[in-house]
Amino acid sequence: MDGIERCIDAEIPFDVPESWSWSRIGAMFLLQAGKNIKGSEICDHSFPGSVPCYGGNGIRGYVGIANRDGDYPIIGRQGALCGNVNRASGTFYATEHAVCVETFSATNVSWACVFLEALNLNQYATATAQPGLAVSKINTVLIPIPPIDEQQRIVDRLYGLIKQIEKL
């Protein structure tokens, strides 16, 4: 057992099933803040050739350029709602207030969204007039990782329960 494993073992908050593992967010996902864009370049409505522009709290508007293409959980990085999680699929632009979470083949994107939201990442924000999350801080958070098939079962069950709740 190396030093990293001993460090993680000392911090594990609860037991997980044997088929699960523990990892730090930064070892499981690649987190990258988006890029700055002038507010004057963001339109309130879509236009031919436009893509959604995601800020820290979801879609801010539409722009004529993209800096991402794929399926990503997006963590809000700035403001009172920092730590919230949205999902962006397809071609879009992510601003500097949005952290794109790149998942890999052993991760279900729907599960990643649900799990990141459940972590209440806002608790890791700086306590200033304008709360903010540092990617370096998020990367150190320890998370339990179920196998990919279990991730899908969790998502299916949760979404099924949400549909039942909405019916009520």
Side-chain angles (χ1 to χ4, degrees), residues 9-155:
D9 285 346
E11 296 178 41
I12 292 175
F14 53 87
D15 291 330
V16 295
E18 193 173 302
S19 61
W20 292 36
S21 61
W22 283 95
S23 180
R24 300 216 183 270
I25 287 178
M28 186 66 190
F29 306 120
L30 176 62
L31 278 65
Q32 292 182 317
K35 302 293 181 197
N36 189 23
I37 190 167
K38 294 177 185 173
S40 61
E41 296 180 51
I42 303 171
C43 241
D44 289 340
H45 57 280
S46 64
F47 54 90
S50 68
V51 297
C53 178
Y54 283 83
N57 297 318
I59 295 178
R60 284 187 57 190
Y62 298 86
V63 296
I65 58 172
N67 62 4
R68 291 285 176 173
D69 186 21
D71 194 7
Y72 297 87
I74 296 183
I75 302 169
R77 194 173 79 85
Q78 232 33 80
L81 297 176
C82 69
N84 68 341
V85 178
N86 288 285
R87 183 174 183 173
S89 296
T91 304
F92 63 95
Y93 190 94
T95 72
E96 74 278 11
H97 298 295
V99 175
C100 292
V101 179
E102 190 168 338
T103 60
F104 302 101
S105 61
T107 308
N108 178 299
V109 176
S110 295
W111 172 84
C113 289
V114 167
F115 198 83
L116 289 167
E117 184 73 31
L119 286 173
N120 184 26
L121 293 171
N122 185 274
Q123 67 181 308
Y124 303 105
T126 56
T128 62
Q130 176 75 340
L133 283 172
V135 168
S136 60
K137 180 77 171 178
I138 299 169
N139 277 335
T140 65
V141 175
L142 195 60
I143 58 171
I145 310 294
I148 189 78
D149 57 334
E150 182 71 9
Q151 292 174 25
Q152 187 63 53
R153 282 193 295 274
I154 290 168
V155 169

